[in-house]
Amino acid sequence: MTTTPLTADHLYATGLRGQWHPVVPSSFVAPGAMRKVTVLGEQWLLFRRSDGTLSMLADRCPHRGAPLSLGKHLGDRVACWYHGVEVETDGTVSSVPGLPGCNLEGKQLVVSLPVKEVSGAVLAYFGTEEQPQPVELTLPEPLTDPDTEAILCYAEWNVPWRYAVENLLDPMHGAFLHHDSHTMFDGDTTAKFRIRETDRGYFFEKTDQRGVNFDWVELCRTGVDWVDLSIPYPPSAGPGGPFGIVGMVRPVDAERCAVFFWRYRTVQGWQRDTWRFLYKTLIEKRHWEVLEQDRVMLEAMPADADQRENLYQHDLGVVRLRRLYRGGAEAQATA
Amino acid sequence: MNTDWPYLEIHQSRTHEPSPYELKLAATLEEVFTKVGSELADVVRGLNDRQVHAPDGTPWTEESFTAEMHRLGA
Ligand code: FES
Ligand SMILES: [Fe+2]
């Protein structure tokens, strides 16, 4: 997939390969449009044909390396601005206008990634040498269950990707950082946690409280990494009970990430419509304020935060996560 | 569309700025859910008791409320 050797440190800092990652909301690439995006420290070009078909190409012209994202959308191809070389959506050079018949024509010289669109977001598969073909992808049930309504919130943070995931594996921060929020004001500020292994990851959960604050989280590795969690709503949110979050994080580079939070609720009919109406009108802003508390805290963390810690029992979920990702990075390293 | 880093948009699910009618209806719904109940009949009664009516000024029925939520929540 990439020609430079990947060290374990680089993979740990910029994200593991051999799996799917979320890229951007689908709406970020309109039909007939292109969009440049940085993922796992590399430059990519999302290209959507007018019929809606999406492809994802390395943002690098096969001629002399100019960014294709500066080029021109030709409907079913992109033409590099520098010398006009045309590249098809599967990465094949279709024409070299300056030298017709040039031997670059007909060769697949640009990497193109498998993509899927799921519940309003683009997912792409980032391969490894051993695993260039996409691994099986099992989507989060809340995003595919017809009785569950999910609304995506996307944001870009100046935060290393792993800190954003660690924050999700740290439910106890809900009772402190989000104490003044509309959903997490309640519950004990002391707790005992345990790890419960599952066949797709693990739960990190309070042993003595459920359904009050942010009391549990499940890490799921199903071809894409995601977390599932549930947070109670106050009665003002109407029927339907708590809302859940499916969270995914896109590593941008070693310092930045993009977060995808689908707020979901099991509601149908008028209850679904009413939740959506309240969400758009009043609740989305309140959820945003909670998310901003996370962003402000995480962006303020020192770069060496994880080098000089004194962990305690509530951090077991984070420790487990680091072990998983560190082990994965070492297994994938090619240098 | 804004493509600058970082993308930090509070409202991502809206298609338009809510009208005064929509804001009033939403705020009253929250109050009704809190103080009256969350069955459809509770909601219709709670809105009508508070004189927060449909745009044509008529009291809500279960049918008209359901239809309006479908329009506004789509
Ligand atoms: S670098 Fe793209 S055509 Fe020359
Ligand atoms: Fe948080």
PDB file of all heavy atoms in Angstrom, chain A residues 76-97:
ATOM      1  N   ASP A  76     -15.626  11.320 -15.236  1.00  0.00           N
ATOM      2  CA  ASP A  76     -15.255   9.960 -14.841  1.00  0.00           C
ATOM      3  C   ASP A  76     -13.747   9.843 -14.637  1.00  0.00           C
ATOM      4  O   ASP A  76     -13.222   8.765 -14.419  1.00  0.00           O
ATOM      5  CB  ASP A  76     -15.711   8.948 -15.895  1.00  0.00           C
ATOM      6  CG  ASP A  76     -15.108   9.252 -17.253  1.00  0.00           C
ATOM      7  OD1 ASP A  76     -14.551  10.362 -17.441  1.00  0.00           O
ATOM      8  OD2 ASP A  76     -15.177   8.379 -18.133  1.00  0.00           O
ATOM      9  N   ARG A  77     -13.027  10.979 -14.731  1.00  0.00           N
ATOM     10  CA  ARG A  77     -11.572  10.976 -14.566  1.00  0.00           C
ATOM     11  C   ARG A  77     -11.165  12.289 -13.904  1.00  0.00           C
ATOM     12  O   ARG A  77     -11.939  13.244 -13.859  1.00  0.00           O
ATOM     13  CB  ARG A  77     -10.864  10.959 -15.942  1.00  0.00           C
ATOM     14  CG  ARG A  77     -10.963   9.695 -16.724  1.00  0.00           C
ATOM     15  CD  ARG A  77     -10.791   9.994 -18.207  1.00  0.00           C
ATOM     16  NE  ARG A  77     -11.900  10.828 -18.692  1.00  0.00           N
ATOM     17  CZ  ARG A  77     -11.799  11.763 -19.644  1.00  0.00           C
ATOM     18  NH1 ARG A  77     -10.643  11.994 -20.245  1.00  0.00           N
ATOM     19  NH2 ARG A  77     -12.844  12.480 -20.005  1.00  0.00           N
ATOM     20  N   VAL A  78      -9.915  12.316 -13.457  1.00  0.00           N
ATOM     21  CA  VAL A  78      -9.373  13.583 -12.986  1.00  0.00           C
ATOM     22  C   VAL A  78      -8.154  13.891 -13.858  1.00  0.00           C
ATOM     23  O   VAL A  78      -7.376  12.988 -14.203  1.00  0.00           O
ATOM     24  CB  VAL A  78      -9.021  13.538 -11.476  1.00  0.00           C
ATOM     25  CG1 VAL A  78      -8.126  12.362 -11.133  1.00  0.00           C
ATOM     26  CG2 VAL A  78      -8.388  14.840 -11.002  1.00  0.00           C
ATOM     27  N   ALA A  79      -8.022  15.163 -14.254  1.00  0.00           N
ATOM     28  CA  ALA A  79      -6.876  15.581 -15.061  1.00  0.00           C
ATOM     29  C   ALA A  79      -5.943  16.395 -14.180  1.00  0.00           C
ATOM     30  O   ALA A  79      -6.349  17.399 -13.583  1.00  0.00           O
ATOM     31  CB  ALA A  79      -7.344  16.427 -16.247  1.00  0.00           C
ATOM     32  N   CYS A  80      -4.687  15.971 -14.078  1.00  0.00           N
ATOM     33  CA  CYS A  80      -3.698  16.704 -13.286  1.00  0.00           C
ATOM     34  C   CYS A  80      -3.492  18.089 -13.884  1.00  0.00           C
ATOM     35  O   CYS A  80      -3.431  18.275 -15.100  1.00  0.00           O
ATOM     36  CB  CYS A  80      -2.387  15.920 -13.255  1.00  0.00           C
ATOM     37  SG  CYS A  80      -1.079  16.750 -12.327  1.00  0.00           S
ATOM     38  N   TRP A  81      -3.425  19.080 -13.015  1.00  0.00           N
ATOM     39  CA  TRP A  81      -3.288  20.464 -13.474  1.00  0.00           C
ATOM     40  C   TRP A  81      -1.905  20.716 -14.084  1.00  0.00           C
ATOM     41  O   TRP A  81      -1.735  21.537 -14.985  1.00  0.00           O
ATOM     42  CB  TRP A  81      -3.509  21.385 -12.254  1.00  0.00           C
ATOM     43  CG  TRP A  81      -3.634  22.840 -12.588  1.00  0.00           C
ATOM     44  CD1 TRP A  81      -3.916  23.406 -13.799  1.00  0.00           C
ATOM     45  CD2 TRP A  81      -3.476  23.932 -11.662  1.00  0.00           C
ATOM     46  NE1 TRP A  81      -3.967  24.771 -13.687  1.00  0.00           N
ATOM     47  CE2 TRP A  81      -3.694  25.126 -12.393  1.00  0.00           C
ATOM     48  CE3 TRP A  81      -3.191  24.006 -10.289  1.00  0.00           C
ATOM     49  CZ2 TRP A  81      -3.614  26.389 -11.787  1.00  0.00           C
ATOM     50  CZ3 TRP A  81      -3.114  25.258  -9.699  1.00  0.00           C
ATOM     51  CH2 TRP A  81      -3.326  26.434 -10.450  1.00  0.00           C
ATOM     52  N   TYR A  82      -0.896  19.985 -13.610  1.00  0.00           N
ATOM     53  CA  TYR A  82       0.489  20.300 -13.980  1.00  0.00           C
ATOM     54  C   TYR A  82       0.780  20.043 -15.465  1.00  0.00           C
ATOM     55  O   TYR A  82       1.170  20.937 -16.208  1.00  0.00           O
ATOM     56  CB  TYR A  82       1.437  19.498 -13.078  1.00  0.00           C
ATOM     57  CG  TYR A  82       2.803  20.124 -12.845  1.00  0.00           C
ATOM     58  CD1 TYR A  82       3.162  21.355 -13.383  1.00  0.00           C
ATOM     59  CD2 TYR A  82       3.738  19.461 -12.060  1.00  0.00           C
ATOM     60  CE1 TYR A  82       4.414  21.904 -13.143  1.00  0.00           C
ATOM     61  CE2 TYR A  82       4.987  20.007 -11.807  1.00  0.00           C
ATOM     62  CZ  TYR A  82       5.319  21.236 -12.348  1.00  0.00           C
ATOM     63  OH  TYR A  82       6.557  21.773 -12.113  1.00  0.00           O
ATOM     64  N   HIS A  83       0.561  18.772 -15.944  1.00  0.00           N
ATOM     65  CA  HIS A  83       0.806  18.463 -17.358  1.00  0.00           C
ATOM     66  C   HIS A  83      -0.361  17.716 -17.989  1.00  0.00           C
ATOM     67  O   HIS A  83      -0.209  17.074 -19.022  1.00  0.00           O
ATOM     68  CB  HIS A  83       2.086  17.629 -17.527  1.00  0.00           C
ATOM     69  CG  HIS A  83       3.243  18.114 -16.714  1.00  0.00           C
ATOM     70  ND1 HIS A  83       3.515  17.614 -15.458  1.00  0.00           N
ATOM     71  CD2 HIS A  83       4.174  19.074 -16.953  1.00  0.00           C
ATOM     72  CE1 HIS A  83       4.579  18.230 -14.961  1.00  0.00           C
ATOM     73  NE2 HIS A  83       5.006  19.129 -15.837  1.00  0.00           N
ATOM     74  N   GLY A  84      -1.505  17.728 -17.272  1.00  0.00           N
ATOM     75  CA  GLY A  84      -2.724  17.218 -17.902  1.00  0.00           C
ATOM     76  C   GLY A  84      -2.934  15.717 -17.912  1.00  0.00           C
ATOM     77  O   GLY A  84      -3.901  15.237 -18.506  1.00  0.00           O
ATOM     78  N   VAL A  85      -2.065  14.946 -17.264  1.00  0.00           N
ATOM     79  CA  VAL A  85      -2.260  13.489 -17.261  1.00  0.00           C
ATOM     80  C   VAL A  85      -3.624  13.152 -16.649  1.00  0.00           C
ATOM     81  O   VAL A  85      -4.014  13.721 -15.629  1.00  0.00           O
ATOM     82  CB  VAL A  85      -1.112  12.788 -16.486  1.00  0.00           C
ATOM     83  CG1 VAL A  85      -1.493  11.360 -16.094  1.00  0.00           C
ATOM     84  CG2 VAL A  85       0.156  12.782 -17.326  1.00  0.00           C
ATOM     85  N   GLU A  86      -4.346  12.237 -17.296  1.00  0.00           N
ATOM     86  CA  GLU A  86      -5.701  11.897 -16.848  1.00  0.00           C
ATOM     87  C   GLU A  86      -5.715  10.530 -16.176  1.00  0.00           C
ATOM     88  O   GLU A  86      -5.147   9.570 -16.675  1.00  0.00           O
ATOM     89  CB  GLU A  86      -6.662  11.913 -18.049  1.00  0.00           C
ATOM     90  CG  GLU A  86      -6.819  13.321 -18.609  1.00  0.00           C
ATOM     91  CD  GLU A  86      -7.674  13.398 -19.861  1.00  0.00           C
ATOM     92  OE1 GLU A  86      -8.368  12.415 -20.183  1.00  0.00           O
ATOM     93  OE2 GLU A  86      -7.645  14.469 -20.516  1.00  0.00           O
ATOM     94  N   VAL A  87      -6.374  10.484 -15.004  1.00  0.00           N
ATOM     95  CA  VAL A  87      -6.419   9.262 -14.200  1.00  0.00           C
ATOM     96  C   VAL A  87      -7.872   8.869 -13.976  1.00  0.00           C
ATOM     97  O   VAL A  87      -8.702   9.694 -13.591  1.00  0.00           O
ATOM     98  CB  VAL A  87      -5.713   9.486 -12.837  1.00  0.00           C
ATOM     99  CG1 VAL A  87      -5.786   8.228 -11.981  1.00  0.00           C
ATOM    100  CG2 VAL A  87      -4.266   9.920 -13.044  1.00  0.00           C
ATOM    101  N   GLU A  88      -8.161   7.583 -14.209  1.00  0.00           N
ATOM    102  CA  GLU A  88      -9.521   7.088 -14.002  1.00  0.00           C
ATOM    103  C   GLU A  88      -9.759   6.786 -12.529  1.00  0.00           C
ATOM    104  O   GLU A  88      -8.826   6.731 -11.734  1.00  0.00           O
ATOM    105  CB  GLU A  88      -9.747   5.824 -14.838  1.00  0.00           C
ATOM    106  CG  GLU A  88      -9.837   6.141 -16.316  1.00  0.00           C
ATOM    107  CD  GLU A  88      -9.989   4.889 -17.150  1.00  0.00           C
ATOM    108  OE1 GLU A  88     -10.727   3.977 -16.724  1.00  0.00           O
ATOM    109  OE2 GLU A  88      -9.362   4.837 -18.218  1.00  0.00           O
ATOM    110  N   THR A  89     -11.033   6.500 -12.188  1.00  0.00           N
ATOM    111  CA  THR A  89     -11.383   6.334 -10.775  1.00  0.00           C
ATOM    112  C   THR A  89     -10.770   5.073 -10.158  1.00  0.00           C
ATOM    113  O   THR A  89     -10.738   4.940  -8.944  1.00  0.00           O
ATOM    114  CB  THR A  89     -12.910   6.308 -10.592  1.00  0.00           C
ATOM    115  OG1 THR A  89     -13.449   5.354 -11.505  1.00  0.00           O
ATOM    116  CG2 THR A  89     -13.504   7.668 -10.885  1.00  0.00           C
ATOM    117  N   ASP A  90     -10.284   4.140 -10.976  1.00  0.00           N
ATOM    118  CA  ASP A  90      -9.609   2.972 -10.391  1.00  0.00           C
ATOM    119  C   ASP A  90      -8.095   3.170 -10.361  1.00  0.00           C
ATOM    120  O   ASP A  90      -7.350   2.244 -10.040  1.00  0.00           O
ATOM    121  CB  ASP A  90      -9.963   1.702 -11.165  1.00  0.00           C
ATOM    122  CG  ASP A  90      -9.376   1.718 -12.578  1.00  0.00           C
ATOM    123  OD1 ASP A  90      -8.869   2.791 -13.013  1.00  0.00           O
ATOM    124  OD2 ASP A  90      -9.409   0.671 -13.241  1.00  0.00           O
ATOM    125  N   GLY A  91      -7.634   4.374 -10.723  1.00  0.00           N
ATOM    126  CA  GLY A  91      -6.203   4.670 -10.662  1.00  0.00           C
ATOM    127  C   GLY A  91      -5.453   4.432 -11.961  1.00  0.00           C
ATOM    128  O   GLY A  91      -4.233   4.611 -12.028  1.00  0.00           O
ATOM    129  N   THR A  92      -6.176   4.053 -13.014  1.00  0.00           N
ATOM    130  CA  THR A  92      -5.531   3.798 -14.300  1.00  0.00           C
ATOM    131  C   THR A  92      -5.313   5.111 -15.066  1.00  0.00           C
ATOM    132  O   THR A  92      -6.205   5.948 -15.137  1.00  0.00           O
ATOM    133  CB  THR A  92      -6.409   2.862 -15.164  1.00  0.00           C
ATOM    134  OG1 THR A  92      -6.646   1.667 -14.418  1.00  0.00           O
ATOM    135  CG2 THR A  92      -5.743   2.528 -16.483  1.00  0.00           C
ATOM    136  N   VAL A  93      -4.117   5.263 -15.629  1.00  0.00           N
ATOM    137  CA  VAL A  93      -3.846   6.435 -16.473  1.00  0.00           C
ATOM    138  C   VAL A  93      -4.568   6.220 -17.799  1.00  0.00           C
ATOM    139  O   VAL A  93      -4.318   5.242 -18.505  1.00  0.00           O
ATOM    140  CB  VAL A  93      -2.331   6.603 -16.713  1.00  0.00           C
ATOM    141  CG1 VAL A  93      -2.064   7.715 -17.714  1.00  0.00           C
ATOM    142  CG2 VAL A  93      -1.620   6.882 -15.398  1.00  0.00           C
ATOM    143  N   SER A  94      -5.495   7.120 -18.131  1.00  0.00           N
ATOM    144  CA  SER A  94      -6.242   6.917 -19.368  1.00  0.00           C
ATOM    145  C   SER A  94      -5.658   7.722 -20.519  1.00  0.00           C
ATOM    146  O   SER A  94      -5.849   7.368 -21.667  1.00  0.00           O
ATOM    147  CB  SER A  94      -7.719   7.263 -19.169  1.00  0.00           C
ATOM    148  OG  SER A  94      -7.847   8.571 -18.678  1.00  0.00           O
ATOM    149  N   SER A  95      -4.947   8.802 -20.171  1.00  0.00           N
ATOM    150  CA  SER A  95      -4.401   9.578 -21.280  1.00  0.00           C
ATOM    151  C   SER A  95      -3.254  10.463 -20.810  1.00  0.00           C
ATOM    152  O   SER A  95      -3.256  10.973 -19.684  1.00  0.00           O
ATOM    153  CB  SER A  95      -5.559  10.379 -21.894  1.00  0.00           C
ATOM    154  OG  SER A  95      -5.133  11.629 -22.352  1.00  0.00           O
ATOM    155  N   VAL A  96      -2.255  10.609 -21.679  1.00  0.00           N
ATOM    156  CA  VAL A  96      -1.152  11.543 -21.449  1.00  0.00           C
ATOM    157  C   VAL A  96      -1.217  12.554 -22.598  1.00  0.00           C
ATOM    158  O   VAL A  96      -0.670  12.324 -23.678  1.00  0.00           O
ATOM    159  CB  VAL A  96       0.222  10.813 -21.426  1.00  0.00           C
ATOM    160  CG1 VAL A  96       1.366  11.805 -21.208  1.00  0.00           C
ATOM    161  CG2 VAL A  96       0.240   9.729 -20.358  1.00  0.00           C
ATOM    162  N   PRO A  97      -1.948  13.657 -22.403  1.00  0.00           N
ATOM    163  CA  PRO A  97      -2.256  14.547 -23.531  1.00  0.00           C
ATOM    164  C   PRO A  97      -1.015  15.107 -24.218  1.00  0.00           C
ATOM    165  O   PRO A  97      -1.030  15.322 -25.429  1.00  0.00           O
ATOM    166  CB  PRO A  97      -3.063  15.681 -22.876  1.00  0.00           C
ATOM    167  CG  PRO A  97      -3.511  15.169 -21.564  1.00  0.00           C
ATOM    168  CD  PRO A  97      -2.551  14.120 -21.138  1.00  0.00           C
TER     169      PRO A  97
END
